[in-house]
Structures are given as C-alpha cells and as structure tokens.
Short mmCIF file of all heavy atoms in Angstrom, two decimals:
data_model
loop_
_atom_site.label_atom_id
_atom_site.label_comp_id
_atom_site.label_asym_id
_atom_site.label_seq_id
_atom_site.Cartn_x
_atom_site.Cartn_y
_atom_site.Cartn_z
N MET A 1 142.07 256.73 273.58
CA MET A 1 140.88 257.53 273.28
C MET A 1 140.82 258.78 274.16
O MET A 1 140.16 259.73 273.87
CB MET A 1 139.63 256.69 273.51
CG MET A 1 139.52 255.52 272.55
SD MET A 1 139.36 255.99 270.81
CE MET A 1 137.63 256.54 270.80
N SER A 2 141.51 258.75 275.30
CA SER A 2 141.40 259.85 276.24
C SER A 2 142.05 261.12 275.73
O SER A 2 141.82 262.19 276.27
CB SER A 2 142.03 259.46 277.58
OG SER A 2 143.40 259.18 277.40
N GLU A 3 142.84 261.02 274.67
CA GLU A 3 143.50 262.20 274.15
C GLU A 3 142.62 262.98 273.19
O GLU A 3 142.94 264.09 272.81
CB GLU A 3 144.80 261.81 273.44
CG GLU A 3 145.83 261.26 274.43
CD GLU A 3 147.15 260.96 273.73
OE1 GLU A 3 147.21 261.23 272.52
OE2 GLU A 3 148.07 260.47 274.38
N LEU A 4 141.50 262.39 272.79
CA LEU A 4 140.60 263.13 271.92
C LEU A 4 139.95 264.26 272.71
O LEU A 4 139.54 264.07 273.85
CB LEU A 4 139.50 262.20 271.39
CG LEU A 4 139.97 261.17 270.36
CD1 LEU A 4 138.82 260.24 270.00
CD2 LEU A 4 140.48 261.86 269.11
N PRO A 5 139.88 265.45 272.12
CA PRO A 5 139.25 266.57 272.82
C PRO A 5 137.77 266.35 272.98
O PRO A 5 137.07 265.99 272.03
CB PRO A 5 139.55 267.78 271.92
CG PRO A 5 139.75 267.17 270.55
CD PRO A 5 140.35 265.81 270.78
N PHE A 6 137.29 266.57 274.18
CA PHE A 6 135.85 266.47 274.43
C PHE A 6 135.20 267.77 274.00
O PHE A 6 135.67 268.85 274.34
CB PHE A 6 135.62 266.22 275.92
CG PHE A 6 134.16 266.12 276.28
CD1 PHE A 6 133.41 265.06 275.82
CD2 PHE A 6 133.57 267.09 277.06
CE1 PHE A 6 132.06 264.96 276.15
CE2 PHE A 6 132.23 267.00 277.40
CZ PHE A 6 131.48 265.94 276.94
N SER A 7 134.16 267.67 273.23
CA SER A 7 133.51 268.88 272.74
C SER A 7 132.01 268.79 272.97
O SER A 7 131.44 267.71 273.04
CB SER A 7 133.80 269.10 271.26
OG SER A 7 133.27 268.04 270.50
N VAL A 8 131.40 269.95 273.10
CA VAL A 8 129.95 270.03 273.28
C VAL A 8 129.41 271.04 272.29
O VAL A 8 130.16 271.77 271.66
CB VAL A 8 129.60 270.46 274.72
CG1 VAL A 8 130.09 269.43 275.73
CG2 VAL A 8 130.17 271.83 275.02
N SER A 9 128.11 271.09 272.16
CA SER A 9 127.48 272.09 271.32
C SER A 9 127.04 273.26 272.18
O SER A 9 126.41 273.06 273.22
CB SER A 9 126.29 271.49 270.58
OG SER A 9 126.72 270.48 269.70
N CYS A 10 127.34 274.46 271.74
CA CYS A 10 126.92 275.64 272.46
C CYS A 10 125.39 275.64 272.57
O CYS A 10 124.70 275.51 271.56
CB CYS A 10 127.40 276.89 271.72
SG CYS A 10 126.75 278.42 272.41
N PRO A 11 124.85 275.73 273.77
CA PRO A 11 123.39 275.70 273.93
C PRO A 11 122.68 276.84 273.23
O PRO A 11 121.48 276.74 272.94
CB PRO A 11 123.20 275.80 275.45
CG PRO A 11 124.49 275.35 276.04
CD PRO A 11 125.55 275.79 275.05
N THR A 12 123.38 277.91 272.97
CA THR A 12 122.75 279.06 272.34
C THR A 12 122.81 279.01 270.82
O THR A 12 121.79 279.16 270.16
CB THR A 12 123.42 280.35 272.83
OG1 THR A 12 123.31 280.43 274.24
CG2 THR A 12 122.77 281.58 272.21
N CYS A 13 123.98 278.74 270.26
CA CYS A 13 124.13 278.83 268.80
C CYS A 13 124.53 277.51 268.17
O CYS A 13 124.67 277.42 266.96
CB CYS A 13 125.12 279.93 268.44
SG CYS A 13 126.83 279.50 268.82
N ARG A 14 124.69 276.47 268.95
CA ARG A 14 125.00 275.12 268.46
C ARG A 14 126.40 275.00 267.88
O ARG A 14 126.73 273.99 267.27
CB ARG A 14 123.97 274.68 267.40
CG ARG A 14 122.57 274.57 267.97
CD ARG A 14 122.55 273.64 269.14
NE ARG A 14 121.21 273.54 269.72
CZ ARG A 14 120.96 272.95 270.87
NH1 ARG A 14 121.94 272.44 271.57
NH2 ARG A 14 119.75 272.88 271.35
N LYS A 15 127.23 275.99 268.08
CA LYS A 15 128.60 275.90 267.62
C LYS A 15 129.35 274.90 268.48
O LYS A 15 129.11 274.80 269.68
CB LYS A 15 129.26 277.28 267.70
CG LYS A 15 130.71 277.30 267.27
CD LYS A 15 131.27 278.70 267.43
CE LYS A 15 132.75 278.74 267.10
NZ LYS A 15 133.32 280.10 267.27
N THR A 16 130.25 274.14 267.86
CA THR A 16 131.02 273.17 268.61
C THR A 16 132.02 273.87 269.52
O THR A 16 132.75 274.75 269.09
CB THR A 16 131.79 272.24 267.65
OG1 THR A 16 130.84 271.54 266.85
CG2 THR A 16 132.62 271.24 268.42
N VAL A 17 132.01 273.50 270.78
CA VAL A 17 132.90 274.10 271.76
C VAL A 17 133.79 273.02 272.33
O VAL A 17 133.30 272.03 272.87
CB VAL A 17 132.10 274.77 272.90
CG1 VAL A 17 133.04 275.43 273.90
CG2 VAL A 17 131.09 275.76 272.34
N VAL A 18 135.09 273.19 272.19
CA VAL A 18 136.03 272.22 272.77
C VAL A 18 136.10 272.44 274.27
O VAL A 18 136.30 273.56 274.75
CB VAL A 18 137.43 272.37 272.14
CG1 VAL A 18 138.40 271.38 272.80
CG2 VAL A 18 137.37 272.13 270.64
N TRP A 19 135.90 271.35 275.01
CA TRP A 19 135.84 271.45 276.48
C TRP A 19 137.26 271.40 277.04
O TRP A 19 137.79 270.35 277.34
CB TRP A 19 135.01 270.29 277.01
CG TRP A 19 134.59 270.49 278.43
CD1 TRP A 19 135.38 270.34 279.54
CD2 TRP A 19 133.30 270.86 278.90
NE1 TRP A 19 134.64 270.61 280.66
CE2 TRP A 19 133.36 270.93 280.31
CE3 TRP A 19 132.08 271.16 278.26
CZ2 TRP A 19 132.26 271.27 281.09
CZ3 TRP A 19 130.99 271.49 279.05
CH2 TRP A 19 131.09 271.54 280.44
N ASN A 20 137.86 272.58 277.16
CA ASN A 20 139.19 272.66 277.77
C ASN A 20 139.34 273.98 278.50
O ASN A 20 138.40 274.77 278.58
CB ASN A 20 140.28 272.48 276.71
CG ASN A 20 140.21 273.56 275.65
OD1 ASN A 20 139.64 274.65 275.86
ND2 ASN A 20 140.78 273.31 274.49
N GLU A 21 140.53 274.18 279.05
CA GLU A 21 140.74 275.37 279.87
C GLU A 21 140.62 276.66 279.05
O GLU A 21 140.39 277.72 279.60
CB GLU A 21 142.12 275.30 280.53
CG GLU A 21 142.23 274.19 281.56
CD GLU A 21 141.20 274.36 282.67
OE1 GLU A 21 140.97 275.51 283.09
OE2 GLU A 21 140.61 273.37 283.09
N GLU A 22 140.80 276.55 277.74
CA GLU A 22 140.73 277.74 276.91
C GLU A 22 139.28 278.20 276.69
O GLU A 22 139.04 279.34 276.34
CB GLU A 22 141.40 277.50 275.55
CG GLU A 22 142.90 277.25 275.70
CD GLU A 22 143.55 277.04 274.35
OE1 GLU A 22 142.85 277.18 273.32
OE2 GLU A 22 144.74 276.72 274.31
N SER A 23 138.34 277.30 276.89
CA SER A 23 136.94 277.65 276.70
C SER A 23 136.37 278.10 278.05
O SER A 23 135.74 277.33 278.77
CB SER A 23 136.16 276.46 276.16
OG SER A 23 136.71 276.05 274.92
N ALA A 24 136.61 279.34 278.37
CA ALA A 24 136.26 279.86 279.69
C ALA A 24 134.76 279.87 279.92
O ALA A 24 134.30 279.85 281.05
CB ALA A 24 136.82 281.26 279.86
N TYR A 25 133.99 279.89 278.82
CA TYR A 25 132.54 280.03 278.97
C TYR A 25 131.81 278.75 278.62
O TYR A 25 130.61 278.76 278.37
CB TYR A 25 132.05 281.18 278.10
CG TYR A 25 132.70 282.49 278.48
CD1 TYR A 25 133.70 283.05 277.68
CD2 TYR A 25 132.32 283.16 279.64
CE1 TYR A 25 134.31 284.24 278.04
CE2 TYR A 25 132.92 284.34 280.00
CZ TYR A 25 133.92 284.88 279.20
OH TYR A 25 134.52 286.05 279.56
N ARG A 26 132.56 277.64 278.56
CA ARG A 26 131.91 276.37 278.24
C ARG A 26 130.78 276.07 279.22
O ARG A 26 130.88 276.42 280.38
CB ARG A 26 132.95 275.24 278.26
CG ARG A 26 133.65 275.05 279.62
CD ARG A 26 134.79 274.05 279.45
NE ARG A 26 135.41 273.73 280.72
CZ ARG A 26 136.37 274.46 281.29
NH1 ARG A 26 136.83 275.55 280.68
NH2 ARG A 26 136.88 274.11 282.45
N PRO A 27 129.72 275.44 278.81
CA PRO A 27 129.52 274.87 277.47
C PRO A 27 129.18 275.89 276.40
O PRO A 27 128.87 275.50 275.28
CB PRO A 27 128.34 273.92 277.68
CG PRO A 27 127.54 274.58 278.73
CD PRO A 27 128.54 275.23 279.65
N PHE A 28 129.22 277.16 276.72
CA PHE A 28 128.93 278.16 275.71
C PHE A 28 130.21 278.51 274.95
O PHE A 28 131.31 278.39 275.49
CB PHE A 28 128.35 279.42 276.34
CG PHE A 28 127.10 279.15 277.13
CD1 PHE A 28 127.15 278.96 278.49
CD2 PHE A 28 125.89 279.05 276.48
CE1 PHE A 28 126.00 278.69 279.22
CE2 PHE A 28 124.73 278.77 277.20
CZ PHE A 28 124.79 278.60 278.56
N CYS A 29 130.06 278.95 273.69
CA CYS A 29 131.23 279.23 272.86
C CYS A 29 131.82 280.58 273.20
O CYS A 29 132.97 280.85 272.88
CB CYS A 29 130.86 279.16 271.38
SG CYS A 29 129.73 280.47 270.85
N SER A 30 131.05 281.44 273.84
CA SER A 30 131.54 282.79 274.10
C SER A 30 130.76 283.40 275.25
O SER A 30 129.71 282.89 275.66
CB SER A 30 131.39 283.67 272.86
OG SER A 30 130.01 283.80 272.54
N LYS A 31 131.28 284.51 275.76
CA LYS A 31 130.58 285.22 276.83
C LYS A 31 129.22 285.70 276.34
O LYS A 31 128.24 285.68 277.09
CB LYS A 31 131.42 286.41 277.28
CG LYS A 31 130.80 287.19 278.43
CD LYS A 31 131.72 288.35 278.84
CE LYS A 31 131.15 289.06 280.07
NZ LYS A 31 129.85 289.71 279.76
N ARG A 32 129.17 286.10 275.08
CA ARG A 32 127.91 286.60 274.53
C ARG A 32 126.83 285.53 274.59
O ARG A 32 125.71 285.78 275.03
CB ARG A 32 128.13 287.05 273.09
CG ARG A 32 126.85 287.53 272.43
CD ARG A 32 127.11 287.89 270.98
NE ARG A 32 125.86 288.11 270.27
CZ ARG A 32 125.13 287.13 269.75
NH1 ARG A 32 125.54 285.89 269.84
NH2 ARG A 32 124.00 287.40 269.13
N CYS A 33 127.18 284.31 274.15
CA CYS A 33 126.19 283.23 274.14
C CYS A 33 125.78 282.88 275.57
O CYS A 33 124.63 282.58 275.84
CB CYS A 33 126.75 282.02 273.42
SG CYS A 33 126.58 282.13 271.63
N ARG A 34 126.73 282.93 276.49
CA ARG A 34 126.38 282.63 277.88
C ARG A 34 125.40 283.68 278.40
O ARG A 34 124.40 283.37 279.06
CB ARG A 34 127.64 282.61 278.75
CG ARG A 34 127.35 282.13 280.16
CD ARG A 34 128.49 282.43 281.09
NE ARG A 34 128.70 283.88 281.23
CZ ARG A 34 129.54 284.44 282.07
NH1 ARG A 34 130.30 283.69 282.82
NH2 ARG A 34 129.65 285.75 282.14
N ASP A 35 125.69 284.93 278.12
CA ASP A 35 124.82 286.01 278.59
C ASP A 35 123.44 285.91 277.96
O ASP A 35 122.42 286.18 278.61
CB ASP A 35 125.44 287.37 278.26
CG ASP A 35 126.65 287.64 279.14
OD1 ASP A 35 126.85 286.90 280.12
OD2 ASP A 35 127.40 288.57 278.83
N VAL A 36 123.38 285.52 276.69
CA VAL A 36 122.09 285.36 276.03
C VAL A 36 121.27 284.30 276.74
O VAL A 36 120.09 284.46 277.01
CB VAL A 36 122.29 284.98 274.54
CG1 VAL A 36 120.97 284.49 273.94
CG2 VAL A 36 122.80 286.19 273.77
N ASP A 37 121.93 283.18 277.08
CA ASP A 37 121.21 282.09 277.73
C ASP A 37 120.75 282.49 279.12
O ASP A 37 119.61 282.26 279.51
CB ASP A 37 122.12 280.87 277.81
CG ASP A 37 121.32 279.63 278.19
OD1 ASP A 37 120.59 279.14 277.32
OD2 ASP A 37 121.41 279.19 279.33
N LEU A 38 121.62 283.12 279.88
CA LEU A 38 121.25 283.55 281.22
C LEU A 38 120.13 284.59 281.16
O LEU A 38 119.22 284.60 281.97
CB LEU A 38 122.47 284.13 281.94
CG LEU A 38 123.57 283.11 282.25
CD1 LEU A 38 124.75 283.80 282.91
CD2 LEU A 38 123.04 282.02 283.15
N GLY A 39 120.20 285.47 280.14
CA GLY A 39 119.16 286.46 279.98
C GLY A 39 117.82 285.83 279.66
O GLY A 39 116.78 286.24 280.16
N ALA A 40 117.85 284.79 278.86
CA ALA A 40 116.62 284.09 278.52
C ALA A 40 116.01 283.47 279.76
O ALA A 40 114.80 283.49 279.96
CB ALA A 40 116.91 283.01 277.48
N TRP A 41 116.86 282.90 280.61
CA TRP A 41 116.36 282.33 281.85
C TRP A 41 115.67 283.41 282.69
O TRP A 41 114.58 283.21 283.21
CB TRP A 41 117.51 281.73 282.67
CG TRP A 41 117.81 280.32 282.32
CD1 TRP A 41 118.89 279.85 281.64
CD2 TRP A 41 117.02 279.15 282.63
NE1 TRP A 41 118.81 278.48 281.52
CE2 TRP A 41 117.69 278.03 282.11
CE3 TRP A 41 115.81 278.97 283.31
CZ2 TRP A 41 117.18 276.74 282.25
CZ3 TRP A 41 115.31 277.69 283.44
CH2 TRP A 41 115.99 276.59 282.91
N SER A 42 116.31 284.56 282.80
CA SER A 42 115.79 285.60 283.69
C SER A 42 114.46 286.14 283.18
O SER A 42 113.62 286.58 283.95
CB SER A 42 116.80 286.73 283.82
OG SER A 42 116.98 287.38 282.59
N PHE A 43 114.26 286.10 281.86
CA PHE A 43 113.00 286.59 281.30
C PHE A 43 112.01 285.44 281.08
O PHE A 43 110.96 285.62 280.47
CB PHE A 43 113.25 287.31 279.98
CG PHE A 43 113.88 288.66 280.18
CD1 PHE A 43 115.20 288.88 279.82
CD2 PHE A 43 113.14 289.71 280.72
CE1 PHE A 43 115.79 290.13 280.01
CE2 PHE A 43 113.72 290.95 280.91
CZ PHE A 43 115.05 291.16 280.56
N GLU A 44 112.34 284.28 281.58
CA GLU A 44 111.47 283.12 281.48
C GLU A 44 111.07 282.80 280.04
O GLU A 44 109.97 282.38 279.76
CB GLU A 44 110.22 283.31 282.34
CG GLU A 44 110.56 283.45 283.82
CD GLU A 44 109.31 283.54 284.67
OE1 GLU A 44 108.21 283.51 284.09
OE2 GLU A 44 109.43 283.63 285.89
N GLU A 45 112.03 283.02 279.14
CA GLU A 45 111.77 282.70 277.74
C GLU A 45 112.57 281.48 277.30
O GLU A 45 112.59 281.13 276.14
CB GLU A 45 112.15 283.90 276.86
CG GLU A 45 111.24 285.08 277.08
CD GLU A 45 111.70 286.28 276.27
OE1 GLU A 45 112.81 286.24 275.72
OE2 GLU A 45 110.92 287.23 276.16
N TYR A 46 113.23 280.86 278.26
CA TYR A 46 114.06 279.72 277.92
C TYR A 46 113.18 278.52 277.56
O TYR A 46 112.24 278.20 278.25
CB TYR A 46 114.96 279.35 279.09
CG TYR A 46 115.97 278.29 278.75
CD1 TYR A 46 117.18 278.62 278.18
CD2 TYR A 46 115.69 276.95 279.00
CE1 TYR A 46 118.11 277.64 277.86
CE2 TYR A 46 116.60 275.97 278.68
CZ TYR A 46 117.82 276.32 278.12
OH TYR A 46 118.72 275.35 277.79
N ARG A 47 113.53 277.89 276.45
CA ARG A 47 112.82 276.68 276.06
C ARG A 47 113.83 275.57 275.79
O ARG A 47 114.93 275.83 275.34
CB ARG A 47 111.99 276.93 274.80
CG ARG A 47 110.82 277.86 275.05
CD ARG A 47 109.95 277.96 273.82
NE ARG A 47 110.70 278.49 272.68
CZ ARG A 47 110.20 278.57 271.45
NH1 ARG A 47 109.00 278.13 271.20
NH2 ARG A 47 110.92 279.08 270.48
N ILE A 48 113.44 274.34 276.05
CA ILE A 48 114.32 273.22 275.79
C ILE A 48 114.47 273.08 274.27
O ILE A 48 113.47 272.88 273.58
CB ILE A 48 113.77 271.92 276.40
CG1 ILE A 48 113.64 272.08 277.91
CG2 ILE A 48 114.67 270.75 276.04
CD1 ILE A 48 112.96 270.90 278.57
N PRO A 49 115.71 273.18 273.77
CA PRO A 49 115.90 273.12 272.31
C PRO A 49 115.50 271.76 271.74
O PRO A 49 115.83 270.72 272.27
CB PRO A 49 117.41 273.36 272.15
CG PRO A 49 117.87 273.94 273.45
CD PRO A 49 116.95 273.39 274.49
N GLY A 50 114.78 271.78 270.65
CA GLY A 50 114.48 270.56 269.92
C GLY A 50 113.43 269.68 270.56
O GLY A 50 113.21 268.57 270.12
N ALA A 51 112.75 270.17 271.59
CA ALA A 51 111.76 269.33 272.26
C ALA A 51 110.46 270.09 272.51
O ALA A 51 110.03 270.25 273.63
CB ALA A 51 112.32 268.78 273.56
N PRO A 52 109.86 270.60 271.45
CA PRO A 52 108.57 271.27 271.63
C PRO A 52 107.49 270.25 271.95
O PRO A 52 107.46 269.17 271.36
CB PRO A 52 108.31 271.94 270.29
CG PRO A 52 109.05 271.09 269.30
CD PRO A 52 110.26 270.56 270.06
N VAL A 53 106.63 270.58 272.87
CA VAL A 53 105.54 269.67 273.24
C VAL A 53 104.22 270.40 273.04
O VAL A 53 103.94 271.40 273.70
CB VAL A 53 105.68 269.20 274.69
CG1 VAL A 53 104.50 268.31 275.06
CG2 VAL A 53 106.99 268.47 274.91
N ALA A 54 103.44 269.91 272.12
CA ALA A 54 102.13 270.49 271.90
C ALA A 54 101.15 269.91 272.92
O ALA A 54 101.26 268.74 273.28
CB ALA A 54 101.65 270.19 270.48
N PRO A 55 100.21 270.71 273.38
CA PRO A 55 99.25 270.24 274.40
C PRO A 55 98.50 268.99 273.96
O PRO A 55 98.22 268.11 274.77
CB PRO A 55 98.30 271.42 274.57
CG PRO A 55 99.10 272.61 274.15
CD PRO A 55 100.02 272.11 273.07
N GLU A 56 98.19 268.88 272.69
CA GLU A 56 97.42 267.73 272.22
C GLU A 56 98.24 266.45 272.23
O GLU A 56 97.70 265.36 272.10
CB GLU A 56 96.86 267.97 270.82
CG GLU A 56 97.93 268.28 269.79
CD GLU A 56 98.09 269.77 269.61
OE1 GLU A 56 97.94 270.52 270.59
OE2 GLU A 56 98.36 270.19 268.48
N ASP A 57 99.57 266.57 272.37
CA ASP A 57 100.42 265.40 272.40
C ASP A 57 100.57 264.82 273.79
O ASP A 57 101.11 263.76 273.97
CB ASP A 57 101.81 265.73 271.85
CG ASP A 57 101.76 265.97 270.35
OD1 ASP A 57 100.81 265.49 269.70
OD2 ASP A 57 102.68 266.63 269.83
N LEU A 58 100.09 265.51 274.79
CA LEU A 58 100.22 265.00 276.14
C LEU A 58 99.29 263.81 276.37
O LEU A 58 98.11 263.88 276.05
CB LEU A 58 99.88 266.11 277.16
CG LEU A 58 100.84 267.30 277.13
CD1 LEU A 58 100.35 268.38 278.09
CD2 LEU A 58 102.25 266.87 277.49
N PRO A 59 99.84 262.72 276.91
CA PRO A 59 99.03 261.49 277.10
C PRO A 59 98.14 261.59 278.33
O PRO A 59 98.37 260.94 279.34
CB PRO A 59 100.10 260.41 277.26
CG PRO A 59 101.26 261.14 277.89
CD PRO A 59 101.22 262.55 277.32
N ASP A 60 97.12 262.43 278.26
CA ASP A 60 96.29 262.65 279.44
C ASP A 60 95.26 261.54 279.64
O ASP A 60 94.66 261.42 280.68
CB ASP A 60 95.60 264.01 279.36
CG ASP A 60 94.81 264.15 278.07
OD1 ASP A 60 94.99 263.29 277.18
OD2 ASP A 60 94.04 265.10 277.94
N GLU A 61 95.06 260.71 278.61
CA GLU A 61 94.07 259.64 278.75
C GLU A 61 94.69 258.27 278.53
O GLU A 61 94.03 257.33 278.13
CB GLU A 61 92.92 259.84 277.75
CG GLU A 61 92.09 261.08 278.06
CD GLU A 61 90.93 261.20 277.09
OE1 GLU A 61 91.00 260.62 276.00
OE2 GLU A 61 89.95 261.86 277.44
N ILE A 62 95.99 258.17 278.78
CA ILE A 62 96.69 256.92 278.46
C ILE A 62 96.21 255.78 279.35
O ILE A 62 96.18 254.63 278.95
CB ILE A 62 98.21 257.12 278.60
CG1 ILE A 62 98.96 255.95 277.98
CG2 ILE A 62 98.62 257.32 280.06
CD1 ILE A 62 100.43 256.20 277.83
N ASP A 63 95.78 256.08 280.57
CA ASP A 63 95.29 255.02 281.45
C ASP A 63 94.02 254.39 280.90
O ASP A 63 93.84 253.19 280.90
CB ASP A 63 95.02 255.58 282.85
CG ASP A 63 96.33 255.85 283.59
OD1 ASP A 63 97.38 255.30 283.17
OD2 ASP A 63 96.29 256.62 284.55
N GLU A 64 93.12 255.22 280.41
CA GLU A 64 91.87 254.70 279.85
C GLU A 64 92.14 253.83 278.63
O GLU A 64 91.51 252.79 278.45
CB GLU A 64 90.96 255.86 279.45
CG GLU A 64 90.40 256.62 280.64
CD GLU A 64 89.43 255.75 281.44
OE1 GLU A 64 88.79 254.89 280.84
OE2 GLU A 64 89.34 255.95 282.67
N GLU A 65 93.10 254.25 277.79
CA GLU A 65 93.37 253.53 276.56
C GLU A 65 94.06 252.19 276.82
O GLU A 65 93.99 251.28 276.01
CB GLU A 65 94.22 254.39 275.63
CG GLU A 65 93.46 255.62 275.14
CD GLU A 65 94.33 256.53 274.30
OE1 GLU A 65 95.54 256.28 274.18
OE2 GLU A 65 93.78 257.49 273.76
N ASP A 66 94.77 252.09 277.93
CA ASP A 66 95.47 250.85 278.24
C ASP A 66 94.55 249.79 278.84
O ASP A 66 94.85 248.62 278.82
CB ASP A 66 96.63 251.12 279.20
CG ASP A 66 97.80 251.74 278.46
OD1 ASP A 66 97.79 251.70 277.23
OD2 ASP A 66 98.70 252.28 279.13
N LYS A 67 93.41 250.21 279.36
CA LYS A 67 92.50 249.26 279.98
C LYS A 67 91.65 248.55 278.92
O LYS A 67 91.12 249.19 278.01
CB LYS A 67 91.55 249.97 280.95
CG LYS A 67 92.27 250.51 282.19
CD LYS A 67 91.28 251.28 283.04
CE LYS A 67 91.96 251.87 284.27
NZ LYS A 67 91.03 252.71 285.05
N PRO A 68 91.49 247.25 279.01
CA PRO A 68 90.55 246.55 278.11
C PRO A 68 89.12 246.84 278.52
O PRO A 68 88.78 246.78 279.70
CB PRO A 68 90.91 245.08 278.31
CG PRO A 68 91.51 245.02 279.68
CD PRO A 68 92.20 246.34 279.90
N HIS A 69 88.32 247.17 277.55
CA HIS A 69 86.93 247.51 277.86
C HIS A 69 86.05 246.26 277.88
O HIS A 69 86.26 245.36 277.09
CB HIS A 69 86.37 248.49 276.81
CG HIS A 69 87.00 249.84 276.95
ND1 HIS A 69 86.67 250.75 277.91
CD2 HIS A 69 87.97 250.42 276.24
CE1 HIS A 69 87.39 251.83 277.77
NE2 HIS A 69 88.21 251.66 276.76
ZN1 ZN B 101 127.47 280.12 270.97
#
C-alpha cells in the first residue's frame, strides 16, 4: 500500500494534489493558490471551508437543557 501516491485536496481550489517532491507548493496545487490562501490570511478573510457556524447554532444554553427541572 505504501506505493500508492498520497494526495491531498488543494485548500484553495480543491484540486487533487499529489504529495511528492514535484508538488513544490503542496498542499496547494500551485503557487497561485498558495498566494491566494496566504493573502486571505493576511486580510483576515480566511474561513474554514465547509464549516460555517451560524450564531443561533451555538449551544449557549446546553447546560440548562441537560439539567432535569
Ligand atoms: Zn489550487
């Protein structure tokens, strides 16, 4: 199994990136995608992909709900 190429998804564009010496910008697929991600960080616009959290979904009263009244 160790001969199978390890691959990841580019954090910027989700393109499959083979994790080897040829992928100089891994886990990004290209220098452009890496720069986009770093730029997003610097402008504080980076968001965790696929994990949006709405304020109303936060369990702020979970302790009260777990207690028997
Ligand atoms: Zn990419």
Side-chain angles (χ1 to χ4, degrees):
M1 295 297 285
S2 62
E3 293 184 2
L4 289 175
F6 179 67
S7 63
V8 297
S9 296
C10 173
T12 301
C13 71
R14 297 304 179 190
K15 179 182 176 181
T16 299
V17 181
V18 178
W19 195 284
N20 61 21
E21 293 301 320
E22 295 181 5
S23 301
Y25 301 105
R26 61 188 185 275
F28 302 96
C29 67
S30 63
K31 182 179 184 295
R32 177 183 170 276
C33 277
R34 187 194 63 173
D35 289 348
V36 167
D37 193 74
L38 293 178
W41 273 108
S42 65
F43 287 109
E44 298 184 359
E45 293 176 349
Y46 187 86
R47 291 186 299 174
I48 299 173
V53 178
E56 58 264 35
D57 289 338
L58 296 176
D60 55 349
E61 293 183 338
I62 193 168
D63 286 342
E64 290 293 330
E65 294 176 354
D66 283 346
K67 292 176 182 175
H69 290 283

